[in-house]
Amino acid sequence: MSVFQKLVLASGSPRRVELLQQAGIEPDRLMPADIDEEPQRAEHPRSLAKRLCREKAEKALASLKAEPEFDHPYVLAADTVVSVGRRILPKTEMLDEAANSLRLLSGRSHRVYTGICLVTPQEKIRTKLVETRVRFKRLSREELESYLASGEWRGKAGGYAIQGLAGTFVVKLVGSYTNVVGLPLYETVGLLTGEGFKVHFNWLSGSPQV
């Protein structure tokens, strides 16, 4: 990454960091934004994802104002929401939340929305929303109980991580796979390059993968 460009990721998610690294991007700073993620009354899942990603980016930017070494950075934030119709599923922290979410997803389709917000060094705000449709197989009792016992559901929107064991539940996926993981790479890289961030800087010195 160029020394003249600083990228702050307003997240502590290992998944999002790994996805950025997959694209050859190494954030200069992780700054998780602690905000209230509760949906507002009658808020649509799409609107929630867009609102939360912007709030995370703005909070991280405000915190950076006191740090001269991060003068005029790029700030990237994202928020992922899983829904069945207009029903928003929680980021599960309790076993019963995960069980209820997985029972609801079993044998049916749902949507995964990720809102991306990029604040440029000139403090211009760019946002994008990405939608993916996912269909789960009908889960047997054994599959449900075994997945819950694995603990992979903890902290995950909708109670599952597609890049883990739950990948075996997916019958069909329409749209971006990385969106379901937590950060749609095509759209994220497009936002960054469109605003002058040198995404390909590290590619130039990389060695071909065998």
Side-chain angles (χ1 to χ4, degrees):
M1 186 178 300
S2 168
V3 295
F4 300 109
Q5 295 184 316
K6 297 283 190 180
L7 176 65
V8 174
L9 179 63
S11 173
S13 166
R15 300 182 304 281
R16 292 190 175 121
V17 173
E18 288 167 4
L19 285 167
L20 285 175
Q21 289 171 337
Q22 180 182 326
I25 302 168
E26 190 71 48
D28 295 285
R29 173 82 174 272
L30 301 183
M31 183 170 278
D34 184 18
I35 63 170
D36 181 2
E37 299 191 14
E38 277 298 308
Q40 296 174 351
R41 183 177 178 84
E43 189 169 25
H44 192 280
R46 297 170 63 94
S47 301
L48 176 64
K50 288 191 289 186
R51 176 174 65 83
L52 293 183
C53 74
R54 180 163 181 153
E55 287 182 6
K56 288 178 179 180
E58 290 176 338
K59 183 163 185 179
L61 181 65
S63 298
L64 289 166
K65 296 289 187 183
E67 301 188 26
E69 66 272 28
F70 282 92
D71 188 34
H72 302 299
Y74 287 86
V75 179
L76 179 67
D79 192 82
T80 300
V81 173
V82 175
S83 71
V84 175
R86 290 182 62 97
R87 179 172 176 178
I88 297 169
L89 303 189
K91 292 179 180 174
T92 53
E93 297 295 345
M94 305 296 291
L95 186 65
D96 60 341
E97 287 180 325
N100 290 338
S101 292
L102 290 167
R103 289 190 186 103
L104 183 63
L105 297 176
S106 175
R108 67 194 304 177
S109 295
H110 61 277
R111 295 176 189 264
V112 180
Y113 300 96
T114 298
I116 317 164
C117 182
L118 177 68
V119 183
T120 72
Q122 297 76 35
E123 298 192 13
K124 181 168 71 172
I125 295 177
R126 295 280 311 278
T127 60
K128 193 167 187 66
L129 182 77
V130 182
E131 174 186 337
T132 302
R133 286 177 289 165
V134 183
R135 183 174 182 83
F136 268 19
K137 64 177 285 187
R138 186 168 298 281
L139 304 180
S140 68
R141 180 175 177 179
E142 181 183 10
E143 287 170 324
L144 178 61
E145 291 178 350
S146 298
Y147 189 72
L148 292 172
S150 77
E152 276 193 4
W153 50 267
R154 197 174 304 279
K156 306 297 192 299
Y160 74 94
I162 195 171
Q163 70 275 23
L165 299 170
T168 63
F169 302 159
V170 178
V171 174
K172 185 176 182 180
L173 184 148
V174 180
S176 167
Y177 171 81
T178 54
N179 177 47
V180 185
V181 180
L183 189 70
L185 281 183
Y186 170 75
E187 292 80 4
T188 300
V189 169
L191 275 181
L192 286 164
T193 55
E195 294 302 328
F197 186 82
K198 305 298 184 185
V199 170
H200 304 120
F201 180 82
N202 283 341
W203 292 24
L204 300 175
S205 59
S207 56
Q209 298 297 309
V210 177

